[in-house]
Amino acid sequence: MHVQVNSHHIPGSVALHEWVGAAVEDRLERFDDFLTRIEVHLSDENAQKAGADDKRCQIEARPKGHQAISVTHKAESLQLAVEGAAEKMHHALAHLTGRLDTKVLSGGELNDPLLEEQSQAAKDAMLEEDFLAKQGELAKQDELDK
């Protein structure tokens, strides 16, 4: 996964870019195969003035085959802003990939691709087991009724 770090009104040192890139990669490494690129935008909204929640981190992730996802987090320090945005992005990607893995049908059944791959013979065997079990119950009931 490629992480690009941009900064606005924040001195963009190599160490800062490496730290931000590593922090974001660590939090999002689960989605490494799913993402093509991540852009991180750091800014100090008040420039050199002090203020509450003036550090802003925006993370934009580009999932393969999907539109980009963007999250933003503001905090009093750059570290908290980066950690908060990375956590938000983790949740957003988990939500997206969760929606892709299983879908609920209107009947409440799960539409799982692995279940659909089950062979017809295996499905028939399960139906046959159910049928034979019910036949056995009916036979026992008939014996009791005699």
XYZ file of all heavy atoms in Angstrom, residues 125-138:
110
model
N -27.694 -34.356 -0.418
C -27.410 -35.230 0.720
C -28.025 -34.664 1.994
O -28.586 -35.413 2.806
C -25.906 -35.418 0.877
N -27.949 -33.346 2.176
C -28.551 -32.738 3.366
C -30.071 -32.877 3.330
O -30.702 -33.169 4.346
C -28.144 -31.270 3.475
C -26.705 -31.074 3.899
S -26.300 -29.382 4.323
C -26.369 -28.600 2.723
N -30.678 -32.699 2.173
C -32.125 -32.858 2.048
C -32.532 -34.308 2.308
O -33.553 -34.574 2.939
C -32.581 -32.420 0.659
C -32.544 -30.918 0.392
C -32.871 -30.647 -1.071
C -33.519 -30.184 1.287
N -31.726 -35.259 1.817
C -32.026 -36.672 2.024
C -31.959 -37.030 3.509
O -32.810 -37.767 4.013
C -31.049 -37.535 1.223
C -31.360 -39.018 1.288
C -30.399 -39.849 0.455
O -29.523 -39.287 -0.221
O -30.532 -41.079 0.502
N -30.974 -36.477 4.223
C -30.865 -36.736 5.657
C -32.103 -36.228 6.384
O -32.648 -36.918 7.254
C -29.613 -36.054 6.231
C -28.321 -36.712 5.859
C -27.104 -35.942 6.377
O -27.269 -35.136 7.312
O -26.016 -36.168 5.846
N -32.554 -35.038 6.034
C -33.759 -34.486 6.653
C -34.973 -35.364 6.350
O -35.793 -35.649 7.220
C -34.028 -33.063 6.156
C -33.037 -32.054 6.697
O -32.355 -32.361 7.701
O -32.954 -30.948 6.111
N -35.095 -35.815 5.095
C -36.214 -36.650 4.683
C -36.215 -37.971 5.457
O -37.251 -38.410 5.980
C -36.146 -36.904 3.178
C -37.187 -37.857 2.685
C -38.495 -37.427 2.507
C -36.864 -39.169 2.391
C -39.464 -38.309 2.056
C -37.833 -40.045 1.936
C -39.139 -39.624 1.768
N -35.042 -38.616 5.549
C -34.958 -39.906 6.245
C -35.246 -39.744 7.738
O -35.879 -40.614 8.347
C -33.581 -40.529 6.020
C -33.292 -40.992 4.583
C -31.856 -41.479 4.468
C -34.271 -42.066 4.154
N -34.799 -38.641 8.324
C -35.077 -38.411 9.742
C -36.582 -38.256 9.971
O -37.143 -38.819 10.923
C -34.333 -37.176 10.235
N -37.266 -37.528 9.099
C -38.716 -37.346 9.233
C -39.452 -38.657 8.982
O -40.448 -38.959 9.654
C -39.198 -36.269 8.271
C -38.802 -34.883 8.713
C -39.325 -33.834 7.781
C -38.853 -32.459 8.264
N -39.279 -31.387 7.387
N -38.969 -39.449 8.048
C -39.585 -40.750 7.781
C -39.457 -41.651 9.005
O -40.384 -42.379 9.345
C -38.935 -41.424 6.567
C -39.279 -40.783 5.246
C -40.743 -40.923 4.918
O -41.541 -40.082 5.300
N -41.108 -41.980 4.223
N -38.295 -41.593 9.655
C -38.092 -42.397 10.861
C -39.031 -41.972 11.973
O -39.579 -42.816 12.696
N -39.236 -40.666 12.127
C -40.165 -40.171 13.143
C -41.595 -40.618 12.848
O -42.334 -41.002 13.750
C -40.103 -38.643 13.207
C -38.825 -38.110 13.788
C -38.743 -36.587 13.695
O -39.764 -35.930 13.425
O -37.628 -36.061 13.895
N -41.975 -40.570 11.574
C -43.328 -41.009 11.195
C -43.513 -42.503 11.446
O -44.590 -42.948 11.884
C -43.592 -40.687 9.723
C -43.774 -39.199 9.387
C -43.881 -39.021 7.877
C -45.012 -38.662 10.076
